[in-house]
Amino acid sequence: MSATINRRRFIATAASAGTMPFLPRSASAQGAWPTRNIRMICSYPAGGQTDLLARAFGEFIAKQVGKTVVIENKAGASGAIGAQEVARAEPDGHTILCSILTTYIMNRVTIKNPGYDMDRDLTLVSVIPGAGLPLIASPKTGVKTLEDFVAFARKNGKVNFGTYSAGSAPHMTINELNKQYGLTIEPVHYRGEAPMWTGLMEGTLDVAMGSYTAAQPVLQSDRGVVFAVHSKKVDAIPAIKTLPEQGATAKFFTVSGFTGWALPKATPQPIVDRPAGLCVAANNDPKVKEVLATFVLEPALGFKDTNALYQRELPVWLEAAQSLGLEPA
């Protein structure tokens, strides 16, 4: 009797199960994320711009989803170490990369084997478009416009133009200006912005280029004059024209880079959409707004706009980087 009842129950259960639609993993995951704490891998050191953005956005996301967002700084190899870890993580949305354009684009040119392939291993979720980078001259040069700078470079032959690293945006700017105006400027590479701006203040450099925020010691001490901005105007110095507005024609002067978040490539789209939407919502958070204002950054973009920007800027950055002729390390 018991065996007959159990057999009938099994058959009935199997039949009813057969009428239920099959739910793919991504469909069930759509409403489940996150099911545990989130690791946000910041591929640059603690205390820097990328880290502060990761913490501000991570704190907002944590409050919205009711889970802890743990920020882990995995710096090194221009962000490649952190990117490798996220690329190899489970594609379930619980391990997120926070990094910059160097990691997402430039490493494929400057590093022989970065250990990950951006287009194969990672999906961009949301990005924060970069700010305009000011070009600042020492007062002794008398440079106040791009035209002044070109004339100064032609007259003096040798110009000490500082960058914060080889392969950086300032390095590419020098290369593009050399090509357009027939100049022979040799970049002076530093390890970071702080020593570069110190070099300008001490008179070692004629010109340097970097972020408006990091350049404040130079500007506040009147030991530098902003004569141009790389690609887009900076609200705090609205009278300063961009390089294109002053006649520079390279495509590179139309892009500005970004900081952003990425997930492993196989992450289901419904899960990708959740943190993407939260990054956009975070734009209205007081702490996030404060950090964005500090670094003169634009609001975070959603998934669609993020990837449109990436596809638009990718070939321009690659062309400019490859024209430097750097040997991948």
Side-chain angles (χ1 to χ4, degrees), residues 11-303:
I11 293 172
T13 301
S16 62
T19 65
M20 295 177 64
F22 171 71
L23 295 177
R25 181 180 177 184
S26 61
S28 61
Q30 182 174 2
W33 182 90
T35 59
R36 60 181 186 277
N37 291 341
I38 299 167
R39 297 173 66 214
M40 187 177 289
I41 307 294
C42 176
S43 61
Y44 285 86
Q49 176 176 310
T50 311
D51 174 69
L52 294 176
L53 287 167
R55 293 180 188 280
F57 277 81
E59 184 177 313
F60 176 83
I61 290 172
K63 288 188 290 188
Q64 304 307 306
V65 302
K67 300 291 183 181
T68 300
V69 177
V70 180
I71 308 299
E72 298 181 19
N73 296 93
K74 300 288 179 84
S78 298
I81 292 175
Q84 290 173 24
E85 183 156 346
V86 176
R88 296 167 185 166
E90 281 294 315
D92 57 10
H94 292 89
T95 306
I96 304 174
L97 175 65
C98 181
S99 196
I100 62 176
L101 177 135
T102 300
T103 306
Y104 296 126
I105 293 180
M106 297 300 296
N107 282 354
R108 70 187 80 190
V109 176
T110 59
I111 301 179
K112 188 176 295 183
N113 182 22
Y116 67 98
D117 182 297
M118 174 61 203
D119 297 326
R120 183 190 65 215
D121 298 331
L122 295 168
T123 295
L124 274 176
V125 171
S126 174
V127 299
I128 298 169
L133 300 180
L135 285 75
I136 303 178
S138 170
K140 69 182 180 181
T141 65
V143 170
K144 295 182 179 179
T145 65
L146 176 59
E147 184 179 5
D148 290 344
F149 171 70
V150 172
F152 174 82
R154 285 175 175 160
K155 179 180 179 180
N156 290 274
K158 182 179 180 181
V159 177
N160 293 322
F161 194 131
T163 86
Y164 46 78
S165 70
S168 62
H171 189 186
M172 285 181 269
T173 295
I174 293 169
N175 189 47
E176 297 299 335
L177 291 175
N178 280 343
K179 287 192 292 184
Q180 179 174 343
Y181 295 103
L183 306 176
T184 56
I185 303 167
E186 289 289 337
V188 181
H189 299 305
Y190 287 78
R191 293 185 176 180
E193 285 199 61
M196 179 191 73
W197 292 124
T198 298
L200 185 67
M201 288 191 291
E202 292 177 345
T204 304
L205 297 174
D206 299 311
V207 178
M209 173 181 167
S211 69
Y212 178 76
T213 301
Q216 286 309 297
V218 178
L219 300 178
Q220 291 174 1
S221 63
D222 293 324
R223 283 183 277 184
V225 178
V226 184
F227 66 91
V229 184
H230 169 256
S231 61
K232 62 175 67 169
K233 289 197 171 187
V234 175
D235 289 344
I237 45 174
I240 305 301
K241 295 182 179 180
T242 64
L243 287 170
E245 287 176 329
Q246 297 188 61
T249 57
K251 288 182 181 178
F252 177 67
F253 300 138
T254 66
V255 297
S256 58
F258 54 82
T259 299
W261 293 267
L263 288 168
K265 191 71 173 181
T267 305
Q269 189 61 43
I271 293 180
V272 172
D273 290 338
R274 292 291 306 285
L278 288 169
C279 285
V280 173
N283 291 326
N284 295 315
D285 178 73
K287 185 171 183 178
V288 168
K289 290 172 75 171
E290 181 181 351
V291 175
L292 292 175
T294 297
F295 295 108
V296 200
L297 297 173
E298 297 178 14
L301 301 178
F303 177 79

Side-chain angles (χ1 to χ4, degrees), residues 315-328:
V316 181
W317 281 98
L318 290 180
E319 181 181 354
Q322 289 163 350
S323 71
L324 295 175
L326 296 176
E327 285 293 328

